[in-house]
Amino acid sequence: MSAAYDAVILAGGRSTRLGGTPKALLLAGERTLLETTLAAVPDARNVAVAGPPELAKLLGSTVPAGCPGRPLLVREEPAYAGPAAAVGAAVAALAALADGNRGSGESPWTMVLACDMPQVAAAVRALLAAAAVPPAESLLAVDSSGTRQPLAALYRTADLRAAVDSLAAEGLANKPMKALLARVQWRGVDVPPTSTADVDTWNDAQTLGVSAGDLP
């Protein structure tokens, strides 16, 4: 049996090097990158998407198989305050869900994914497989060049929540992900080539088979 997990998907950056074109709405084949990322976590108990309110319509029509309901849409405060703040907002929303009557208790793991990796499903499978092998610590995808990816990672939920809480007093706004990562025990997991390759530029998009579709 695979690890029980919730998922956090980051879909709210400025996309500066794409001229402001929202990465979440770029197309990989016939699906947006957000839909592609949601499809990579079909067994997630609950999903929180950190992004702008414009994504609500897309989320309303896209419920991955295995999810108990519509993914939660959350927003970091202030908007565009960076990935650590977005993770913090999503973790808080999932914690409230676990504590409320919609939830069925807290999942032991939380998958954190940026929405700009069109082949991330292969990395997700590798991370979930690694979760079954002791020690039971947080897991970061590591690509073939040795680069670790904290936004393609499977965190122990308790450790991730503790890291978020420990930074809450000083604020998560504009903090890098390494500020959270420094408070979490983790080990690297080798993932298939290109599974964590992300779309930062239009050259990246072309290389990874991603297009703007009908977006202006």
PDB file of all heavy atoms in Angstrom, residues 163-188:
ATOM      1  N   ALA A 163       7.808  23.180  11.005  1.00  0.00           N
ATOM      2  CA  ALA A 163       8.680  24.153  10.349  1.00  0.00           C
ATOM      3  C   ALA A 163       7.917  25.431  10.026  1.00  0.00           C
ATOM      4  O   ALA A 163       8.424  26.540  10.223  1.00  0.00           O
ATOM      5  CB  ALA A 163       9.275  23.555   9.085  1.00  0.00           C
ATOM      6  N   VAL A 164       6.693  25.283   9.516  1.00  0.00           N
ATOM      7  CA  VAL A 164       5.858  26.448   9.218  1.00  0.00           C
ATOM      8  C   VAL A 164       5.566  27.226  10.500  1.00  0.00           C
ATOM      9  O   VAL A 164       5.695  28.453  10.550  1.00  0.00           O
ATOM     10  CB  VAL A 164       4.548  26.013   8.531  1.00  0.00           C
ATOM     11  CG1 VAL A 164       3.538  27.156   8.497  1.00  0.00           C
ATOM     12  CG2 VAL A 164       4.834  25.519   7.114  1.00  0.00           C
ATOM     13  N   ASP A 165       5.199  26.507  11.549  1.00  0.00           N
ATOM     14  CA  ASP A 165       4.863  27.172  12.816  1.00  0.00           C
ATOM     15  C   ASP A 165       6.071  27.899  13.406  1.00  0.00           C
ATOM     16  O   ASP A 165       5.940  28.972  13.993  1.00  0.00           O
ATOM     17  CB  ASP A 165       4.334  26.159  13.825  1.00  0.00           C
ATOM     18  CG  ASP A 165       2.943  25.623  13.449  1.00  0.00           C
ATOM     19  OD1 ASP A 165       2.290  26.248  12.592  1.00  0.00           O
ATOM     20  OD2 ASP A 165       2.545  24.580  14.009  1.00  0.00           O
ATOM     21  N   SER A 166       7.245  27.320  13.253  1.00  0.00           N
ATOM     22  CA  SER A 166       8.438  27.922  13.847  1.00  0.00           C
ATOM     23  C   SER A 166       8.814  29.238  13.181  1.00  0.00           C
ATOM     24  O   SER A 166       9.468  30.088  13.799  1.00  0.00           O
ATOM     25  CB  SER A 166       9.620  26.944  13.779  1.00  0.00           C
ATOM     26  OG  SER A 166      10.089  26.815  12.446  1.00  0.00           O
ATOM     27  N   LEU A 167       8.413  29.416  11.925  1.00  0.00           N
ATOM     28  CA  LEU A 167       8.714  30.658  11.214  1.00  0.00           C
ATOM     29  C   LEU A 167       7.549  31.640  11.235  1.00  0.00           C
ATOM     30  O   LEU A 167       7.702  32.782  10.778  1.00  0.00           O
ATOM     31  CB  LEU A 167       9.079  30.355   9.754  1.00  0.00           C
ATOM     32  CG  LEU A 167      10.447  29.726   9.509  1.00  0.00           C
ATOM     33  CD1 LEU A 167      10.611  29.394   8.038  1.00  0.00           C
ATOM     34  CD2 LEU A 167      11.558  30.648   9.973  1.00  0.00           C
ATOM     35  N   ALA A 168       6.417  31.206  11.753  1.00  0.00           N
ATOM     36  CA  ALA A 168       5.213  32.037  11.689  1.00  0.00           C
ATOM     37  C   ALA A 168       5.381  33.358  12.439  1.00  0.00           C
ATOM     38  O   ALA A 168       4.891  34.400  11.994  1.00  0.00           O
ATOM     39  CB  ALA A 168       4.013  31.271  12.232  1.00  0.00           C
ATOM     40  N   ALA A 169       6.066  33.333  13.562  1.00  0.00           N
ATOM     41  CA  ALA A 169       6.205  34.550  14.372  1.00  0.00           C
ATOM     42  C   ALA A 169       6.926  35.647  13.612  1.00  0.00           C
ATOM     43  O   ALA A 169       6.548  36.816  13.660  1.00  0.00           O
ATOM     44  CB  ALA A 169       6.942  34.231  15.673  1.00  0.00           C
ATOM     45  N   GLU A 170       7.990  35.277  12.888  1.00  0.00           N
ATOM     46  CA  GLU A 170       8.734  36.280  12.125  1.00  0.00           C
ATOM     47  C   GLU A 170       8.153  36.489  10.738  1.00  0.00           C
ATOM     48  O   GLU A 170       8.502  37.462  10.061  1.00  0.00           O
ATOM     49  CB  GLU A 170      10.202  35.878  12.023  1.00  0.00           C
ATOM     50  CG  GLU A 170      10.439  34.523  11.383  1.00  0.00           C
ATOM     51  CD  GLU A 170      11.894  34.101  11.468  1.00  0.00           C
ATOM     52  OE1 GLU A 170      12.663  34.451  10.550  1.00  0.00           O
ATOM     53  OE2 GLU A 170      12.256  33.435  12.456  1.00  0.00           O
ATOM     54  N   GLY A 171       7.249  35.602  10.318  1.00  0.00           N
ATOM     55  CA  GLY A 171       6.581  35.756   9.037  1.00  0.00           C
ATOM     56  C   GLY A 171       7.252  34.955   7.938  1.00  0.00           C
ATOM     57  O   GLY A 171       8.488  34.892   7.857  1.00  0.00           O
ATOM     58  N   LEU A 172       6.446  34.346   7.085  1.00  0.00           N
ATOM     59  CA  LEU A 172       6.952  33.540   5.976  1.00  0.00           C
ATOM     60  C   LEU A 172       7.117  34.341   4.691  1.00  0.00           C
ATOM     61  O   LEU A 172       7.718  33.855   3.730  1.00  0.00           O
ATOM     62  CB  LEU A 172       6.010  32.361   5.710  1.00  0.00           C
ATOM     63  CG  LEU A 172       6.086  31.211   6.711  1.00  0.00           C
ATOM     64  CD1 LEU A 172       4.866  30.315   6.579  1.00  0.00           C
ATOM     65  CD2 LEU A 172       7.360  30.399   6.498  1.00  0.00           C
ATOM     66  N   ALA A 173       6.579  35.540   4.659  1.00  0.00           N
ATOM     67  CA  ALA A 173       6.621  36.339   3.433  1.00  0.00           C
ATOM     68  C   ALA A 173       8.065  36.559   2.988  1.00  0.00           C
ATOM     69  O   ALA A 173       8.927  36.971   3.771  1.00  0.00           O
ATOM     70  CB  ALA A 173       5.926  37.673   3.653  1.00  0.00           C
ATOM     71  N   ASN A 174       8.292  36.231   1.693  1.00  0.00           N
ATOM     72  CA  ASN A 174       9.593  36.440   1.044  1.00  0.00           C
ATOM     73  C   ASN A 174      10.713  35.584   1.618  1.00  0.00           C
ATOM     74  O   ASN A 174      11.887  35.830   1.339  1.00  0.00           O
ATOM     75  CB  ASN A 174       9.982  37.921   1.087  1.00  0.00           C
ATOM     76  CG  ASN A 174       8.946  38.801   0.419  1.00  0.00           C
ATOM     77  OD1 ASN A 174       8.470  38.498  -0.672  1.00  0.00           O
ATOM     78  ND2 ASN A 174       8.562  39.884   1.076  1.00  0.00           N
ATOM     79  N   LYS A 175      10.343  34.573   2.400  1.00  0.00           N
ATOM     80  CA  LYS A 175      11.336  33.607   2.861  1.00  0.00           C
ATOM     81  C   LYS A 175      11.551  32.560   1.765  1.00  0.00           C
ATOM     82  O   LYS A 175      10.610  32.121   1.107  1.00  0.00           O
ATOM     83  CB  LYS A 175      10.853  32.914   4.130  1.00  0.00           C
ATOM     84  CG  LYS A 175      10.845  33.797   5.372  1.00  0.00           C
ATOM     85  CD  LYS A 175      12.233  34.011   5.913  1.00  0.00           C
ATOM     86  CE  LYS A 175      12.213  34.557   7.340  1.00  0.00           C
ATOM     87  NZ  LYS A 175      11.424  35.762   7.509  1.00  0.00           N
ATOM     88  N   PRO A 176      12.789  32.109   1.550  1.00  0.00           N
ATOM     89  CA  PRO A 176      13.036  31.038   0.585  1.00  0.00           C
ATOM     90  C   PRO A 176      12.608  29.695   1.162  1.00  0.00           C
ATOM     91  O   PRO A 176      12.491  29.533   2.380  1.00  0.00           O
ATOM     92  CB  PRO A 176      14.545  31.097   0.385  1.00  0.00           C
ATOM     93  CG  PRO A 176      15.060  31.613   1.697  1.00  0.00           C
ATOM     94  CD  PRO A 176      14.028  32.589   2.189  1.00  0.00           C
ATOM     95  N   MET A 177      12.419  28.726   0.296  1.00  0.00           N
ATOM     96  CA  MET A 177      12.060  27.389   0.763  1.00  0.00           C
ATOM     97  C   MET A 177      13.132  26.794   1.658  1.00  0.00           C
ATOM     98  O   MET A 177      12.839  25.997   2.543  1.00  0.00           O
ATOM     99  CB  MET A 177      11.801  26.457  -0.422  1.00  0.00           C
ATOM    100  CG  MET A 177      10.394  26.491  -0.961  1.00  0.00           C
ATOM    101  SD  MET A 177       9.131  26.039   0.278  1.00  0.00           S
ATOM    102  CE  MET A 177       9.537  24.324   0.579  1.00  0.00           C
ATOM    103  N   LYS A 178      14.380  27.209   1.467  1.00  0.00           N
ATOM    104  CA  LYS A 178      15.436  26.637   2.307  1.00  0.00           C
ATOM    105  C   LYS A 178      15.252  27.028   3.775  1.00  0.00           C
ATOM    106  O   LYS A 178      15.779  26.352   4.666  1.00  0.00           O
ATOM    107  CB  LYS A 178      16.814  27.057   1.804  1.00  0.00           C
ATOM    108  CG  LYS A 178      17.126  28.533   1.902  1.00  0.00           C
ATOM    109  CD  LYS A 178      18.513  28.814   1.349  1.00  0.00           C
ATOM    110  CE  LYS A 178      18.870  30.302   1.445  1.00  0.00           C
ATOM    111  NZ  LYS A 178      20.202  30.579   0.859  1.00  0.00           N
ATOM    112  N   ALA A 179      14.503  28.099   4.049  1.00  0.00           N
ATOM    113  CA  ALA A 179      14.230  28.464   5.435  1.00  0.00           C
ATOM    114  C   ALA A 179      13.360  27.416   6.104  1.00  0.00           C
ATOM    115  O   ALA A 179      13.522  27.119   7.292  1.00  0.00           O
ATOM    116  CB  ALA A 179      13.548  29.833   5.495  1.00  0.00           C
ATOM    117  N   LEU A 180      12.413  26.843   5.360  1.00  0.00           N
ATOM    118  CA  LEU A 180      11.620  25.735   5.879  1.00  0.00           C
ATOM    119  C   LEU A 180      12.436  24.449   5.901  1.00  0.00           C
ATOM    120  O   LEU A 180      12.396  23.674   6.850  1.00  0.00           O
ATOM    121  CB  LEU A 180      10.364  25.534   5.020  1.00  0.00           C
ATOM    122  CG  LEU A 180       9.254  26.570   5.134  1.00  0.00           C
ATOM    123  CD1 LEU A 180       8.135  26.245   4.153  1.00  0.00           C
ATOM    124  CD2 LEU A 180       8.694  26.618   6.547  1.00  0.00           C
ATOM    125  N   LEU A 181      13.180  24.242   4.819  1.00  0.00           N
ATOM    126  CA  LEU A 181      13.936  23.001   4.677  1.00  0.00           C
ATOM    127  C   LEU A 181      14.955  22.843   5.795  1.00  0.00           C
ATOM    128  O   LEU A 181      15.238  21.724   6.249  1.00  0.00           O
ATOM    129  CB  LEU A 181      14.626  22.984   3.316  1.00  0.00           C
ATOM    130  CG  LEU A 181      15.148  21.647   2.804  1.00  0.00           C
ATOM    131  CD1 LEU A 181      14.013  20.641   2.700  1.00  0.00           C
ATOM    132  CD2 LEU A 181      15.836  21.826   1.465  1.00  0.00           C
ATOM    133  N   ALA A 182      15.501  23.952   6.265  1.00  0.00           N
ATOM    134  CA  ALA A 182      16.508  23.903   7.330  1.00  0.00           C
ATOM    135  C   ALA A 182      15.949  23.355   8.626  1.00  0.00           C
ATOM    136  O   ALA A 182      16.712  22.945   9.515  1.00  0.00           O
ATOM    137  CB  ALA A 182      17.085  25.297   7.559  1.00  0.00           C
ATOM    138  N   ARG A 183      14.628  23.332   8.745  1.00  0.00           N
ATOM    139  CA  ARG A 183      13.977  22.872   9.978  1.00  0.00           C
ATOM    140  C   ARG A 183      13.384  21.473   9.829  1.00  0.00           C
ATOM    141  O   ARG A 183      12.614  21.033  10.670  1.00  0.00           O
ATOM    142  CB  ARG A 183      12.897  23.875  10.392  1.00  0.00           C
ATOM    143  CG  ARG A 183      13.466  25.206  10.863  1.00  0.00           C
ATOM    144  CD  ARG A 183      12.447  26.313  10.858  1.00  0.00           C
ATOM    145  NE  ARG A 183      12.922  27.499  11.568  1.00  0.00           N
ATOM    146  CZ  ARG A 183      13.773  28.383  11.054  1.00  0.00           C
ATOM    147  NH1 ARG A 183      14.242  28.210   9.823  1.00  0.00           N
ATOM    148  NH2 ARG A 183      14.157  29.442  11.746  1.00  0.00           N
ATOM    149  N   VAL A 184      13.744  20.791   8.762  1.00  0.00           N
ATOM    150  CA  VAL A 184      13.182  19.465   8.469  1.00  0.00           C
ATOM    151  C   VAL A 184      14.318  18.474   8.227  1.00  0.00           C
ATOM    152  O   VAL A 184      15.272  18.771   7.492  1.00  0.00           O
ATOM    153  CB  VAL A 184      12.283  19.528   7.211  1.00  0.00           C
ATOM    154  CG1 VAL A 184      11.812  18.135   6.814  1.00  0.00           C
ATOM    155  CG2 VAL A 184      11.082  20.447   7.443  1.00  0.00           C
ATOM    156  N   GLN A 185      14.226  17.310   8.844  1.00  0.00           N
ATOM    157  CA  GLN A 185      15.157  16.229   8.542  1.00  0.00           C
ATOM    158  C   GLN A 185      14.731  15.570   7.234  1.00  0.00           C
ATOM    159  O   GLN A 185      13.589  15.162   7.088  1.00  0.00           O
ATOM    160  CB  GLN A 185      15.165  15.205   9.680  1.00  0.00           C
ATOM    161  CG  GLN A 185      15.747  15.723  10.985  1.00  0.00           C
ATOM    162  CD  GLN A 185      17.231  16.010  10.892  1.00  0.00           C
ATOM    163  OE1 GLN A 185      17.982  15.253  10.276  1.00  0.00           O
ATOM    164  NE2 GLN A 185      17.662  17.110  11.489  1.00  0.00           N
ATOM    165  N   TRP A 186      15.666  15.458   6.288  1.00  0.00           N
ATOM    166  CA  TRP A 186      15.280  14.920   4.983  1.00  0.00           C
ATOM    167  C   TRP A 186      16.415  14.082   4.402  1.00  0.00           C
ATOM    168  O   TRP A 186      17.554  14.147   4.830  1.00  0.00           O
ATOM    169  CB  TRP A 186      14.926  16.052   4.016  1.00  0.00           C
ATOM    170  CG  TRP A 186      16.053  17.021   3.760  1.00  0.00           C
ATOM    171  CD1 TRP A 186      16.371  18.122   4.494  1.00  0.00           C
ATOM    172  CD2 TRP A 186      17.031  16.935   2.715  1.00  0.00           C
ATOM    173  NE1 TRP A 186      17.478  18.744   3.974  1.00  0.00           N
ATOM    174  CE2 TRP A 186      17.899  18.042   2.877  1.00  0.00           C
ATOM    175  CE3 TRP A 186      17.251  16.052   1.662  1.00  0.00           C
ATOM    176  CZ2 TRP A 186      18.974  18.270   2.018  1.00  0.00           C
ATOM    177  CZ3 TRP A 186      18.322  16.277   0.804  1.00  0.00           C
ATOM    178  CH2 TRP A 186      19.166  17.380   0.984  1.00  0.00           C
ATOM    179  N   ARG A 187      16.036  13.298   3.409  1.00  0.00           N
ATOM    180  CA  ARG A 187      17.035  12.582   2.615  1.00  0.00           C
ATOM    181  C   ARG A 187      16.637  12.684   1.152  1.00  0.00           C
ATOM    182  O   ARG A 187      15.462  12.864   0.813  1.00  0.00           O
ATOM    183  CB  ARG A 187      17.159  11.110   3.032  1.00  0.00           C
ATOM    184  CG  ARG A 187      15.892  10.287   2.929  1.00  0.00           C
ATOM    185  CD  ARG A 187      16.118   8.886   3.513  1.00  0.00           C
ATOM    186  NE  ARG A 187      14.872   8.162   3.716  1.00  0.00           N
ATOM    187  CZ  ARG A 187      14.354   7.287   2.847  1.00  0.00           C
ATOM    188  NH1 ARG A 187      14.974   7.033   1.704  1.00  0.00           N
ATOM    189  NH2 ARG A 187      13.232   6.649   3.130  1.00  0.00           N
ATOM    190  N   GLY A 188      17.628  12.591   0.282  1.00  0.00           N
ATOM    191  CA  GLY A 188      17.376  12.725  -1.143  1.00  0.00           C
ATOM    192  C   GLY A 188      16.897  11.426  -1.775  1.00  0.00           C
ATOM    193  O   GLY A 188      17.232  10.331  -1.318  1.00  0.00           O
TER     194      GLY A 188
END
